Amino acid sequence: MGFIISAIIFLILLYSVIPYVLSRGLGVNVVKRGRDLSKIAFTFDDGPNPVYTPILLDLLKENEVKATFFVVGTKAEKYPELIQRMHNEGHLIGIHNYVHHSNWFMAPWKVRNGLKNTAKVIKSITGVTPIYYRPPWGMLNLFDFMRRGKYKIILWSIMAEDWRTSGGSEKIKQRLANIKGGDVILLHDCGDTLGAESDAPRNTINALRDVLKTVKIKGFTCVRVDELVEKL
């Protein structure tokens, strides 16, 4: 009985915890930042959202900023016009997965099918096959490492914890006050996932109005993830 329990614990560690430590802690097989210190990359997870994504796109366009959106496949299917707009306005569209569930608690074939289905949805709308991938909550499992040749896994170097409304836009601005060259910045344009608050993206957008001005004054160029990591 003890052997069986030990074997189960080992398999759990092998499937989830060890890949998490290697990726999030040590940056193995993932990209967390770029080397070009003149550039930064804003990334947005969990959308598209019919209320906040259009406002965010307006703001990015107004500031001539290109960003990266890691979209959920079911939402891309529901709001194809927003995916098309992202593409038309020069933003990079990556995969978050077909549903916003942790890869730790999904079988490898379900994760694989989710990636495949999301890629198919994005390609059907934009004509471009996505190759950049960020798993929900950044939780990689063992098989994410095994498929790394097909997808480039993007994590982040700075986050604003913008999925909750506590602290408002000021908290977000404070967390983004020390952006450095090469940073990959994690934000959200949708707040309907587990642990998030539905109106949280409003604070994110309000904070960005000032943050984008600040990074421009500092001389940073805001680019898509593929432009930031192309030489890695």
Side-chain angles (χ1 to χ4, degrees):
M1 187 68 177
F3 172 78
I4 294 175
I5 294 175
S6 296
I8 292 173
I9 293 174
F10 173 76
L11 289 174
I12 292 172
L13 291 172
L14 181 64
Y15 187 71
S16 58
V17 178
I18 292 175
Y20 181 83
V21 171
L22 290 174
S23 61
R24 289 285 293 274
L26 302 178
V28 177
N29 292 345
V30 301
V31 174
K32 298 171 70 173
R33 61 179 299 113
R35 293 176 182 166
D36 189 334
L37 301 185
S38 69
K39 299 177 181 178
I40 59 175
F42 284 97
T43 67
F44 300 92
D45 288 8
D46 298 357
N49 176 274
V51 176
Y52 294 112
T53 303
I55 301 173
L56 174 59
L57 288 170
D58 288 342
L59 179 62
L60 296 176
K61 186 175 183 180
E62 177 185 334
N63 286 272
E64 300 181 332
V65 168
K66 304 303 180 188
T68 301
F69 290 83
F70 290 99
V71 303
V72 176
T74 53
K75 295 177 183 177
E77 283 182 322
K78 192 173 182 180
Y79 307 109
E81 71 283 356
L82 292 177
I83 300 297
Q84 188 65 62
R85 181 179 172 188
M86 292 173 189
H87 176 69
N88 290 347
E89 295 183 2
H91 302 293
L92 180 66
I93 303 171
I95 299 171
H96 206 32
N97 214 323
Y98 192 68
V99 293
H100 198 284
H101 295 163
S102 170
N103 288 10
W104 287 10
F105 304 112
M106 290 195 291
W109 54 87
K110 187 169 183 179
V111 176
R112 183 180 65 247
N113 289 338
L115 291 171
K116 181 179 177 180
N117 290 338
T118 306
K120 184 177 179 180
V121 170
I122 294 170
K123 185 177 180 181
S124 70
I125 299 169
T126 67
V128 178
T129 300
I131 63 170
Y132 293 91
Y133 163 47
R134 174 182 288 161
W137 296 292
M139 293 180 174
L140 278 71
N141 63 42
L142 179 64
F143 292 89
D144 289 315
F145 277 71
M146 295 176 64
R147 68 169 63 88
R148 63 190 173 89
K150 185 172 184 180
Y151 298 104
K152 297 182 179 180
I153 301 173
I154 307 295
L155 296 185
W156 58 86
S157 58
I158 184 171
M159 71 162 69
E161 296 185 8
D162 64 330
W163 54 86
R164 296 193 181 96
T165 58
S166 61
S169 59
E170 287 302 316
K171 179 194 73 174
I172 297 169
K173 286 191 282 188
Q174 289 174 9
R175 291 186 178 276
L176 299 184
N178 296 316
I179 290 175
K180 299 179 179 62
D183 272 336
V184 176
I185 301 138
L186 167 62
L187 296 168
H188 299 79
D189 62 327
C190 186
D192 64 1
T193 57
L194 181 64
E197 296 179 40
S198 60
D199 54 347
R202 187 182 305 278
N203 291 333
T204 299
I205 292 169
N206 288 336
L208 275 175
R209 297 186 193 283
D210 291 330
V211 172
L212 292 178
K213 294 175 183 177
T214 300
V215 297
K216 187 176 293 185
I217 292 172
K218 290 183 177 181
F220 294 128
T221 301
C222 300
V223 300
R224 302 167 10 150
V225 158
D226 56 345
E227 298 174 273
L228 186 69
V229 306
E230 60 185 1
K231 295 182 180 178
L232 295 181

